[in-house]
Amino acid sequence: EAPAVSPLAAHVGKHPGEPNVMDPELVNDPFSGYGKLREQGPVVRGRFIDDSPVWFVTRFEEVREVLRDQRFANNPAVAGTEPGDDPLSRMVEVLGIPEHLRVYMEGSILNCDAPDHTRLRRLVSRAFTARKITGLRPRVEQIADELLARLPEHAEDGVVDLIEHFAYPLPITVICELVGIPEADRPQWRAWGADLISLEPEALARTFPAMIDHIHELVRERRQALTDDLLSELVRTHDDDGSRLSDVEMVTMILTLVLAGHETTAHLIANGTAALLTHPDQQRLVTTDPGILPRAVHELMRWCGPVHATQLRYASEDIDLAGTRISKGEAVQLVLVSANFDPRHYSDPDRLDVTRHPVGQAENHVGFGHGMHYCLGATLARQEGEVAFGRLLSHYPGISLAVEPDALERVPLPGSWRLASLPVRLR
Ligand code: HEM
């Protein structure tokens, strides 16, 4: 039975033999569902949410190859597709996003290619260098410690929802402080984020315009009084020289940073905590040697990272990929979750092993993507993960799940792995 998540599931089962991203088998158990596709081949024909054909790229090497290959474009227009005649535009149409707001989706760093992408990325990457992120660490630790100290206040019958009171507030506080979203507005962003990922037309129709208005308002406020946050920096760049950053691009960038910067990280913290609590041997390794945390976070990103697929890519010319001809304009879906469990790349991929990644080695997974659009916030997200797991386990060494692992409820959406809640006992 199709998961009742949105009208988008309407096309499930229409093309036997061509898996649809909304198939219950793929939504409910992506690890085994996409794992089966990976063993069918490196490039498998399937269907996107709107029923349009898409090629799933399922194996580690091929996923990285496509993400490095600039002939695969993020913007369908580059691939010669008629405006509106691509899976994403059709989905936006089904979801009822008004015409005048679509530019804010198209203006996103994630939907464009060089040279626009290079220009946009350069404008924000300065705020996310390793040095800048290391400088934020004490503040991240402080926020984590404050949240952890208050956890017992939220317990009901000894049980606390760790997503509500820790995994979510930590990254939203960090990204909002960095960007410059006032504290009073943060609960509103949480509600908006939930609306967006719900893919419910009604929720989107309500939320998307409200977010855009809200950001325009913040921009107006910064124009009155610039500060040292990222918002002010973007406003300054835009006002100095509109050719470096247009109005729509500025608003979309702020939207992207806030949304991409907290939801995903919250679920890395939640999924990773659930993984450690259900693997006591791995939890013990992390507790006894906190120096292992950076490697542990690499492994948790691989094993239970929250993002299972990238944006679609479009072939800008006919391309041969691992023996399959991808025709110009066709869409490709990079399946990060099957790549991260590819037995051609990892030995014993199903095993969670926080010592898997050698000391000092760069990450060896595609949970943050790869290539040009590699996650801008990866260093920040990893640091938040290290702080979150390290501080949580040292504050509450006796922490345990309050339900059986099988009873943990998931948000049944394609392309991601999110728990609906994470009930724990602190001791
Ligand atoms: C891009 C995952 C945290 C900002 C990406 C991509 C992935 C990803 C897979 C590439 C998408 C594609 O190629 O289609 C994650 C995960 C995170 C996380 C799993 C947390 C665990 C963050 C944070 C920020 C952020 C904290 C805050 C700034 C971005 C941006 C892009 C991006 C701006 C687009 C980059 C570009 O197009 O050049 N992320 N992300 N992400 N991420 Fe993250």
Side-chain angles (χ1 to χ4, degrees), residues 67 109-110 117 121 128 175 256-257 260-261 264-265 268 301 306-307 310-311 313 336 367-369 372-377 380-381 384:
L67 290 174
I109 184 168
L110 264 164
H117 176 264
R121 181 123 182 167
F128 293 91
I175 194 71
T256 308
L257 290 175
T264 46
T265 315
L268 166 64
M301 271 298 300
V307 178
T310 65
Q311 298 271 95
R313 303 295 200 264
L336 306 178
F368 287 118
M372 274 213 325
H373 291 273
Y374 176 77
C375 177
L376 176 74
L380 175 59
E384 291 182 71

Side-chain angles (χ1 to χ4, degrees), residues 186-239:
R186 293 175 200 165
Q188 180 64 73
W189 275 90
R190 169 156 202 185
W192 284 337
D195 277 354
L196 283 198
I197 62 161
S198 75
L199 295 185
E200 293 283 352
E202 259 178 46
L204 281 171
R206 176 174 70 227
T207 285
F208 203 63
M211 288 174 127
I212 303 291
D213 282 352
H214 172 71
I215 296 172
H216 276 292
E217 181 57 36
L218 290 174
V219 167
R220 270 193 294 276
E221 283 173 20
R222 284 303 180 286
R223 288 224 165 89
Q224 306 296 318
L226 288 172
T227 65
D228 62 355
D229 53 28
L230 195 51
L231 232 164
S232 301
E233 199 171 315
L234 292 173
V235 168
R236 207 178 287 125
T237 306
H238 168 268
D239 291 359

Side-chain angles (χ1 to χ4, degrees), residues 33 73 131 186 224 234-235 271 281 294 318 347 360 383 388 390 394 396 412:
R131 220 170 56 119
R186 293 175 200 165
Q224 306 296 318
L234 292 173
V235 168
N271 297 348
D281 55 330
D318 294 348
S347 62
Q383 173 169 286
S394 73
Y396 300 107

Side-chain angles (χ1 to χ4, degrees), residues 280-315:
D281 55 330
Q282 302 298 305
Q283 182 183 342
R284 208 169 309 117
L285 285 171
V286 173
T287 320
T288 49
D289 176 12
I292 215 173
L293 276 165
R295 296 162 69 198
V297 171
H298 286 330
E299 176 66 350
L300 292 167
M301 271 298 300
R302 179 188 79 83
W303 201 80
C304 56
V307 178
H308 278 182
T310 65
Q311 298 271 95
L312 296 179
R313 303 295 200 264
Y314 302 88

